[in-house]
Amino acid sequence: MFTVTEIVKDGILEVQSSSKGTANKFYQIICSNGNVMQEGKITGFTQRTCLYVGNFKKGKYTFKLDETESKDFIVQ
């Protein structure tokens, strides 16, 4: 289970994980049109990480973690 910043105003998306046992997770950030805008891997036993999304246009995006969980956020 994880949470993300729901409204991003400063270009930084914060992702917090509630589980401590995750070593490697793949993520994707998808725009409202379904295009993958950013993807990568979060490594280590990380409970919190920040991703730069300052180059994204204003709008609604989806953060998807390991193809199983997804959360929406808005860039303003």
Side-chain angles (χ1 to χ4, degrees):
M1 188 70 174
F2 70 96
T3 60
V4 297
T5 308
E6 291 182 9
I7 299 177
V8 177
K9 294 181 182 178
D10 58 358
I12 303 294
L13 175 67
E14 185 176 319
V15 181
Q16 293 183 356
S17 176
S18 61
S19 61
K20 297 178 183 178
T22 58
N24 296 316
K25 293 274 189 181
F26 291 96
Y27 74 88
Q28 290 182 326
I29 298 177
I30 302 166
C31 72
S32 59
N33 294 331
N35 298 323
V36 175
M37 302 296 292
Q38 184 174 323
E39 60 185 349
K41 184 177 180 182
I42 300 172
T43 59
F45 296 99
T46 305
Q47 289 183 348
R48 179 182 295 174
T49 190
C50 294
L51 301 170
Y52 179 72
V53 294
N55 56 341
F56 289 7
K57 293 181 180 179
K58 293 180 181 182
K60 186 176 179 180
Y61 295 87
T62 301
F63 180 86
K64 186 184 280 189
L65 192 63
D66 274 351
E67 298 292 328
T68 58
E69 299 180 78
S70 63
K71 303 278 184 186
D72 292 335
F73 68 95
I74 296 171
V75 173
Q76 289 188 338

